[in-house]
Amino acid sequence: MSPRRRTSRSARKRALLGGAALAILWAGSAAAKPPAAPLSPAPPPVPVTKAGADGMQPDELYMEADEVIREDKIGRTTAQGNIEVRYNNRTLRADKMVYDDRTGIIHAYGHVVTVNSDGSFEFADELIVDDKMAAGIALGFSARLQENVKIAAATSSKRNENVEELTKAIYTPCDICAKDGSPKTPTWSIAADRVVRNKAKRIVYYRNARFRLFGVTVAYLPVFWHADPESKRNSGFLVPKASVSDRRGFSYEQPYYWAISPSMDLVVSPQFNTHVAPFLNGEFRKRFYSGDVDVRFGYTHERDFDGQGNEFGKNTSRSYILGRGGFQINDKWRWGFTAERASDDLIFDKYEVGKVYESRGPYIADDHRLISQLYAVRQDDRSFTSVAAMTIQGLRPGDVDRTFPTIAPLVESHYEAPETLLGGRLRVHASAVALDREQSPTNLAVRLPGVDSARATGEVDWRRAFTSASGIRIEPFLDVRADAYKVDDILTGVGAQTRSENLNRALATGGFDISYPFFKRTSDATIVLEPVAQVAASPHAKQVVIGTDPTTGQPVYLNEDSVAFEFDETTLFRTNKFPGYDLYEDGVRLNVAGRATVLWDDGRRANLLVGRSFRTEQNLVFSQSSGLRTRASDWIVAGDAQPMRGVSLFARARLDSDSFAVHRLEAGVNANNKYGSGFVRYLRDDLDINGNKQENLDIGGETYFGPHYGVSLYGNRDLRRNAWVVRDVGVFYRDDCFRVDVIYRREDTILGRLLPSNSVQLRLTLATLGASTSGR
């Protein structure tokens, strides 16, 4: 009787269970990356037993083979020919597989392929592993992992559950095959004599690591390590930043990401400079069950320096903090804070700290202004209430922080009744604010008391809509409001003497909106013409007067919340065009406009609005530059269009009511196609918020020369001074896994002592490698 025979059903099952031990040996590598999603302290979910993607229950096994042979005398099971094993959402394929009962060793030969549940593939010429997957070795190993990562090694060995090792290994996320299938040198790769992955420590170690660009070794490190790629968050170095400038000389910044715990991390990013002392940047994040905290900070001990790196003054500590936090109290209430302060007005410009002037809370400061706030918000389907306190730091030349008010408290509340009143919706608003200003901004040379004020407001707003059968839409409205003011430290004009004033006022506005759209269909487009009109009337409103202009003799009104005001298409149909509460629009006025829209079937579109406002009498509460002071206002023109795929443009302007001269114009174009992308912005204003004329041009874009090379340009030009503020010219190379930019920048703006400067920056982006959490 031959010792070889076809296996019995029980022996075949035993062989299959041995084959189940075949699985992944090595899962690749990537550099440390902060988590894309917010940190979470939640405990890991409880495992739930359910069918996998292949429909099999956990630990169930399925196997196919052309032939399975059992040799009882020597305790060996052999499967060969088109072998496919499915186990725990993994699939193993091989030409031949042998299982030894006595040693528990599984040996797979020929075209060994493992397909993992995440879609990654692993390949080997030969695979040896024990039946518990505790140890094993693969010869001629390679893998294609997520994010298109490829790994190859002469051998891959697994010592135990936590330690895996590769010899003569290479790692790259770049394409290694040309379009015609021929081999291609990857754009960049990391080669090493030995690579050890320690899952317990969540670290991948390299020995004799060589970084290659286009196959050429550009850097060598005898020892190198980074985070385990299977860890969602892990410590490690991030992509560095390098530049050369007149201000700081050669500058190199190396961020390091430290995953302190599942709910806490820290990025430490020291910046080393040849002309000035080092500067330490950092960012700390902590997640709580009810919210999170994010704090950026920076510190150095150095003398001040100008745009050429010339130091002056004394050595002192220089620092900044940009912090925020938000917490959910319950399903309706939340609270939070922002903390923004800098020791020097120009610290962000000198050390090129990016992403500074952006929203971190509900109240947003202007460019080169920092805001610290504490707030609480309640919101449900029908109401909204917020309570806040805040202070502001100015970083612009000439800013004096004592002239900025401390705002505490600031209360806003809105409620919409669930039931209609006379067929229309009813809203109730309440507001209160108190401002304390240390110094008057009128004369900085003499430290005079600043105006302190407190206001409380209650308001009821009603509106209803009627639409006739012919399409005419009429919306009557009524707004009733009451204000109470207390104003202290009003300068009398005699030295530092002040007076106080209390004022109560009742305000009301009534009227209606009316519109009648006309539609016309052409062969390939829809045209909509819509005349719109608004009639509004208000009795004479008492304004809060705090002085008299010595030049014109006109009254000076209290105006804390309507300084930044622009008459354009967004405010044309506001019943009270002032955005705040201190100033109020009264009298009888008619706001009219015509809107035209063309919508083509192929996706092109165009919109145009022309309008203006008429009054029965002048309103001197509006400033001369507003365009609303006379009985007939300036003209408002606004339009935007997408005339072709990849091109969009917009323009808005305010034209003089008599001469049609342009008082304010803002226009821009965006373009994007396979050859590049770009934009142009133009702004002209006869009188901006600071009382100055402004004319500015902003341009930028990229042009591609072939699939890999390109040129980038950016410029900001002050047309009033006939000078460039910033000019950037860059060249770049890009492909599927790599981009490098070399950018020359010239800054001509003189901010305080920061003189014009030149710099060259190197920006490197590598696929699968981490990036800094904060960029310029």
Side-chain angles (χ1 to χ4, degrees):
M1 183 176 180
S2 173
R4 306 177 76 125
R5 63 182 176 84
R6 296 193 182 276
T7 180
S8 66
R9 186 171 181 181
S10 60
R12 191 177 303 171
K13 179 179 179 183
R14 191 164 135 209
L16 299 184
L17 291 175
L22 297 170
I24 184 172
L25 288 182
W26 207 84
S29 61
K33 294 188 286 187
L39 301 174
S40 174
V46 178
V48 178
T49 301
K50 59 181 180 180
D54 55 8
M56 298 171 60
Q57 295 294 328
D59 295 328
E60 280 189 344
L61 183 142
Y62 171 83
M63 178 176 176
E64 290 182 2
D66 292 344
E67 184 180 40
V68 178
I69 300 174
R70 175 66 185 172
E71 300 175 90
D72 290 331
K73 288 186 178 181
I74 60 176
R76 183 170 62 190
T77 302
T78 302
Q80 54 188 4
N82 298 312
I83 300 171
E84 180 171 312
V85 179
R86 299 178 192 172
Y87 180 73
N88 284 346
N89 289 323
R90 287 180 179 145
T91 300
L92 171 71
R93 300 186 180 100
D95 295 337
K96 181 180 179 181
M97 187 176 72
V98 177
Y99 174 64
D100 191 314
D101 294 356
R102 296 167 296 179
T103 62
I105 298 298
I106 303 165
H107 205 149
Y109 304 86
H111 304 98
V112 182
V113 180
T114 303
V115 183
N116 298 304
S117 58
D118 60 3
S120 61
F121 290 79
E122 296 163 13
F123 309 89
D125 296 332
E126 191 172 340
L127 179 67
I128 304 172
V129 67
D130 66 6
D131 57 2
K132 295 182 179 179
M133 273 192 314
I137 186 169
L139 305 179
F141 175 81
S142 63
R144 182 184 292 272
L145 307 179
Q146 291 180 331
E147 300 186 43
N148 202 32
V149 169
K150 276 80 66 178
I151 297 170
T155 63
S156 171
S157 61
K158 185 173 183 179
R159 301 178 189 171
N160 52 50
E161 291 292 339
N162 292 320
V163 180
E164 299 164 352
E165 181 176 341
L166 298 177
T167 60
K168 296 182 179 180
I170 185 170
Y171 162 93
T172 182
C174 307
D175 286 341
I176 57 175
C177 294
K179 292 183 178 180
D180 61 2
S182 60
K184 172 187 174 184
T185 300
T187 305
W188 71 269
S189 61
I190 302 176
D193 294 342
R194 181 175 172 227
V195 181
V196 178
R197 176 188 181 192
N198 192 315
K199 291 183 178 181
K201 295 182 179 180
R202 297 182 298 179
I203 292 292
V204 179
Y205 300 93
Y206 292 77
R207 287 290 181 90
N208 298 320
R210 298 173 298 281
F211 294 83
R212 294 173 176 170
L213 284 179
F214 303 101
V216 178
T217 299
V218 296
Y220 168 80
L221 290 174
V223 179
F224 172 70
W225 68 91
H226 61 64
D228 185 339
E230 286 193 357
S231 299
K232 294 182 179 179
R233 302 172 52 254
N234 215 334
S235 303
F237 289 102
L238 304 179
V239 174
K241 295 182 287 186
S243 65
V244 179
S245 68
D246 297 337
R247 294 173 185 164
R248 303 190 313 276
F250 175 74
S251 179
Y252 179 84
E253 187 168 345
Q254 178 59 70
Y256 181 82
Y257 176 76
W258 179 20
I260 302 172
S261 74
S263 60
M264 183 166 51
D265 59 24
L266 173 68
V267 175
V268 179
S269 186
Q271 181 189 99
F272 302 98
N273 309 292
T274 57
H275 286 181
V276 297
F279 189 85
L280 178 65
N281 290 291
E283 182 173 8
F284 173 80
R285 301 191 306 171
K286 170 67 176 175
R287 179 77 180 180
F288 303 89
Y289 283 102
S290 61
D292 68 295
V293 172
D294 187 329
V295 180
R296 292 175 57 193
F297 57 87
Y299 176 82
T300 189
H301 193 274
E302 173 63 296
R303 301 170 66 192
D304 204 354
F305 60 90
D306 60 21
Q308 303 302 315
N310 301 313
E311 296 186 345
F312 57 90
K314 64 178 182 179
N315 277 304
T316 186
S317 294
R318 305 180 188 278
S319 60
Y320 72 85
I321 183 171
L322 301 170
R324 56 154 295 278
F327 302 89
Q328 197 76 30
I329 301 173
N330 54 38
D331 61 340
K332 294 183 175 62
W333 278 98
R334 59 186 174 91
W335 75 275
F337 69 90
T338 67
E340 302 180 354
R341 280 296 182 270
S343 61
D344 299 57
D345 289 351
L346 301 173
I347 191 170
F348 301 116
D349 302 279
K350 290 176 179 178
Y351 294 99
E352 293 193 23
V353 180
K355 298 182 180 179
V356 175
Y357 310 106
E358 58 183 26
S359 172
R360 294 181 178 85
Y363 300 96
I364 305 171
D366 204 351
D367 184 51
H368 279 77
R369 301 273 170 80
L370 302 179
I371 181 170
S372 298
Q373 57 190 297
L374 179 67
Y375 63 89
V377 176
R378 184 192 184 279
Q379 186 172 6
D380 59 26
D381 295 339
R382 289 286 175 180
S383 64
F384 173 87
T385 301
S386 69
V387 181
M390 67 197 73
T391 62
I392 298 171
Q393 180 185 11
L395 304 182
R396 299 177 184 176
D399 278 350
V400 177
D401 291 344
R402 294 187 303 272
T403 64
F404 294 113
T406 298
I407 306 171
L410 173 60
V411 181
E412 294 283 343
S413 184
H414 309 280
Y415 171 76
E416 182 169 340
E419 305 294 334
T420 61
L421 177 65
L422 301 178
R425 63 116 179 102
L426 181 69
R427 292 175 179 169
V428 180
H429 312 276
S431 173
V433 66
L435 295 90
D436 181 82
R437 181 178 279 105
E438 183 179 347
Q439 179 179 344
S440 172
T442 56
N443 188 348
L444 299 178
V446 180
R447 192 163 177 173
L448 300 174
V451 174
D452 301 333
S453 63
R455 171 187 54 79
T457 296
E459 184 176 11
V460 177
D461 169 26
W462 175 87
R463 180 179 285 266
R464 184 178 180 181
F466 299 92
T467 304
S468 70
S470 61
I472 299 177
R473 184 177 178 86
I474 300 176
E475 296 186 22
F477 58 83
L478 177 65
D479 184 275
V480 178
R481 191 175 112 190
D483 297 333
Y485 277 89
K486 184 180 189 307
V487 186
D488 297 318
D489 289 342
I490 303 173
L491 294 172
T492 63
V494 181
Q497 294 184 15
T498 63
R499 63 180 178 86
S500 299
E501 182 173 327
N502 296 328
L503 181 142
N504 300 318
R505 63 182 181 182
L507 307 167
T509 300
F512 61 90
D513 296 340
I514 182 170
S515 61
Y516 190 15
F518 298 89
F519 296 84
K520 180 176 177 57
R521 176 66 189 176
T522 66
S523 60
D524 63 346
T526 300
I527 302 174
V528 182
L529 300 177
E530 184 181 14
V532 184
Q534 181 187 78
V535 177
S538 305
H540 176 71
K542 292 191 295 184
Q543 310 291 346
V544 184
V545 180
I546 58 172
T548 303
D549 189 312
T551 304
T552 63
Q554 296 292 328
V556 176
Y557 303 108
L558 179 70
N559 182 15
E560 298 283 8
D561 52 15
S562 296
V563 177
F565 164 63
E566 191 63 51
F567 179 42
D568 57 22
E569 75 278 10
T570 64
T571 57
L572 175 61
F573 290 100
R574 284 179 58 98
T575 56
N576 175 26
K577 292 183 175 57
F578 292 110
Y581 289 90
D582 292 340
L583 301 179
Y584 195 82
E585 183 180 10
D586 56 12
V588 179
R589 56 268 191 198
L590 171 66
N591 305 312
V592 295
R595 296 172 180 155
T597 302
V598 182
L599 301 172
W600 283 272
D601 297 341
D602 59 5
R604 293 176 297 154
R605 64 174 180 80
N607 299 282
L608 178 65
L609 179 143
V610 179
R612 66 188 310 196
S613 180
F614 299 91
R615 321 180 53 81
T616 56
E617 58 184 15
Q618 289 185 336
N619 190 332
L620 301 182
V621 178
F622 290 105
S623 65
Q624 286 279 9
S625 62
S626 66
L628 284 163
R629 202 169 198 184
T630 57
R631 294 176 61 183
S633 76
D634 287 348
W635 289 89
I636 297 298
V637 180
D640 64 88
Q642 290 182 348
M644 63 182 68
R645 184 182 298 274
V647 177
S648 63
L649 51 91
F650 72 92
R652 57 176 59 91
R654 179 165 57 84
L655 311 179
D656 188 85
S657 57
D658 297 322
S659 65
F660 294 100
V662 177
H663 291 304
R664 192 178 193 278
L665 171 63
E666 184 179 0
V669 178
N670 298 304
N672 186 8
N673 59 29
K674 64 180 180 179
Y675 301 108
S677 61
F679 68 89
V680 179
R681 300 284 186 275
Y682 174 80
L683 174 63
R684 174 185 171 186
D685 197 338
D686 283 352
L687 211 60
D688 64 12
I689 188 174
N690 298 313
N692 303 315
K693 289 187 176 182
Q694 182 180 7
E695 191 171 7
N696 181 273
L697 180 67
D698 213 32
I699 59 174
E702 293 182 347
T703 300
Y704 311 131
F705 299 100
H708 300 302
Y709 294 93
V711 175
S712 61
L713 300 171
Y714 173 73
N716 183 284
R717 185 169 180 82
D718 188 336
L719 299 177
R720 297 293 303 174
R721 297 181 181 179
N722 198 28
W724 289 97
V725 179
V726 175
R727 285 168 285 177
D728 284 356
V729 178
V731 294
F732 62 85
Y733 172 89
R734 63 170 189 165
D735 60 20
D736 58 301
C737 66
F738 172 81
R739 174 163 175 152
V740 59
D741 294 75
V742 179
I743 300 172
Y744 167 77
R745 165 169 286 195
R746 166 74 180 182
E747 295 185 51
D748 294 330
T749 303
I750 300 176
L751 299 173
R753 295 179 182 269
L754 200 59
L755 301 174
S757 174
N758 299 284
S759 66
V760 177
Q761 300 178 2
L762 175 67
R763 298 177 185 172
L764 185 65
T765 305
L766 302 177
T768 76
L769 291 188
S772 175
T773 55
S774 300
R776 187 169 177 78

